[in-house]
Amino acid sequence: MLTIHAAKGLEAPVVFIIKADEERRSRDHYGALLDWPPGQERPGHFSVYGPSEWRGYARQHLFDQERDQEARENLNLLYVAMTRARQALIVSGLEGAKDGAWLVQLQTGLEQADFIGLPEMRFDDSVIPASHRDSLRSQAGIQPVNSAPACGGMTVTDVGRRRPSASAEIVFGIQVHRYLELATTGQTDAAIRGDLGLEEVQFSTVRTTARIMLRGPQSRRFFEAGRGHNELEYVGDDGQVRRIDRLVEFDDAVWVLDYKTGSLDEPDLSRRAAPYLDQLADYRRAAAALYPGKTVRSALLFGDGHLHEVM
């Protein structure tokens, strides 16, 4: 079970959105009201406010603007939740939900949706033995869902597979990534070790690799100069959320770095880099969109300290 924010960038064959009947209520409380249009050097309005009965009408258009923005952000969050599902999305909630609830919004959208030509999902009674169920299907003229052409001749493919357990190498890479992320934001080793939850011996191995990457003669400047950003998220052309390990802004160029802790036994850096060329090309396209007119360069930073630029 995950929050929607924690599920960004992840996918699953079947996703459940629970408690979709609950309405997000704005709290009637004290706060600050800010109107700062994009591209403006300073806010057009700033004031503090209290409960609604104290606010008057002079700022009502700004409160309406803030409410509309919250509604858009709420829909964006729903979009993120829905698009985590690759095969089936199941939304649950209680009847009688109010209009602002996701359940009502989805029900309204469902009534307007066009499903012609899309695969149909069927639920089977698990109590019926598989052999008997297949016989009943055959008698009814229904073919198995995982191979039957559905409406419009489309085929429902089986995308539900158990993800293999992460190998020790993958886990180690994740730990090194986390160390680099925290170390470059000023966290102490004690704090990083606590975040990783490692014993000293395990943590020492992670720290050694991360420090080689941080302090290498080729890589040092990417952590000591320029303006750095860690785990920078962007949405690719296919709608999926991706993360750039580190992006560094220099006066002459923007660099995109991707960390790799595996395949260190391969002496040829170009061969090490070969599986990641498309990945880095996608990162460069995303960075170029963020920094138009500026040179974007990319490189792989390996766990042994070697830096390999990918053109």
Side-chain angles (χ1 to χ4, degrees):
M1 183 178 293
L2 296 171
T3 65
I4 296 172
H5 289 290
K8 283 184 178 180
L10 303 178
E11 288 183 334
V14 181
V15 169
F16 292 82
I17 301 178
I18 61 175
K19 294 187 176 181
D21 58 302
E22 294 185 352
E23 183 183 9
R24 299 188 68 182
R25 299 183 179 89
S26 57
R27 295 175 295 170
D28 193 17
H29 62 314
Y30 297 87
L33 186 63
L34 180 67
D35 181 25
W36 196 336
Q40 299 296 320
E41 294 183 356
R42 58 181 62 86
H45 175 91
F46 177 82
S47 63
V48 295
Y49 62 85
S52 55
E53 63 268 19
W54 298 359
R55 297 174 187 174
Y57 296 98
R59 299 176 294 171
Q60 188 57 48
H61 68 289
L62 294 176
F63 285 111
D64 292 342
Q65 179 178 298
E66 190 171 80
R67 181 200 61 212
D68 293 342
Q69 178 63 28
E70 289 178 355
R72 285 193 295 271
E73 291 177 356
N74 190 38
L75 285 176
N76 289 339
L77 194 62
L78 175 59
Y79 172 80
V80 170
M82 294 175 63
T83 52
R84 300 311 90 205
R86 295 184 61 199
Q87 180 170 305
L89 174 68
I90 300 173
V91 183
S92 69
L94 300 176
E95 293 183 356
K98 296 183 178 180
D99 289 344
W102 283 351
L103 187 62
V104 175
Q105 292 174 311
L106 289 173
Q107 286 174 328
T108 302
L110 193 63
E111 294 169 359
Q112 301 172 357
D114 181 6
F115 292 103
I116 296 177
L118 295 179
E120 178 183 354
M121 180 175 174
R122 299 183 179 91
F123 291 92
D124 294 316
D125 185 352
S126 59
V127 176
I128 302 176
S131 58
H132 184 47
R133 184 171 64 239
D134 292 341
S135 175
L136 293 175
R137 279 177 169 172
S138 177
Q139 294 173 25
I142 301 174
Q143 298 180 15
V145 174
N146 62 353
S147 62
C151 298
M154 295 181 65
T155 300
V156 180
T157 58
D158 175 19
V159 298
R161 297 180 178 85
R162 183 179 296 276
R163 180 179 296 176
S165 300
S167 65
E169 183 178 358
I170 292 175
V171 172
F172 178 74
I174 293 172
Q175 293 166 345
V176 172
H177 274 66
R178 183 62 173 165
Y179 185 104
L180 292 168
E181 178 186 0
L182 296 178
T184 52
T185 56
Q187 296 292 320
T188 65
D189 277 357
I192 299 173
R193 178 185 168 189
D195 181 89
L196 293 175
L198 296 178
E199 297 295 335
E200 179 57 36
V201 174
Q202 297 172 302
F203 179 69
S204 177
T205 305
V206 171
R207 178 177 55 200
T208 298
T209 298
R211 286 183 174 179
I212 289 173
M213 299 170 75
L214 285 168
R215 302 173 181 178
Q218 296 177 297
S219 59
R220 182 189 298 268
R221 71 187 187 100
F222 296 107
F223 301 101
E224 297 182 351
R227 183 181 177 187
H229 308 270
N230 295 314
E231 301 298 325
L232 187 66
E233 287 190 347
Y234 71 94
V235 179
D237 294 338
D238 57 0
Q240 298 302 311
V241 177
R242 296 186 175 86
R243 291 182 180 86
I244 297 173
D245 290 341
R246 187 164 178 82
L247 182 145
V248 188
E249 305 173 52
F250 295 107
D251 292 337
D252 61 335
V254 172
W255 279 80
V256 173
L257 297 186
D258 194 61
Y259 306 143
K260 298 299 179 187
T261 56
S263 304
L264 303 184
D265 54 344
E266 171 56 65
D268 188 331
L269 296 183
S270 61
R271 289 185 178 179
R272 288 192 199 177
Y276 311 110
L277 299 182
D278 291 341
Q279 175 186 349
L280 286 175
D282 194 69
Y283 289 172
R284 288 196 300 275
R285 284 192 293 270
L290 289 173
Y291 300 92
K294 200 160 189 177
T295 301
V296 177
R297 302 171 70 175
S298 63
L300 292 164
L301 176 55
F302 294 100
D304 55 7
H306 284 101
L307 186 83
H308 180 72
E309 183 176 1
V310 177
M311 305 300 293

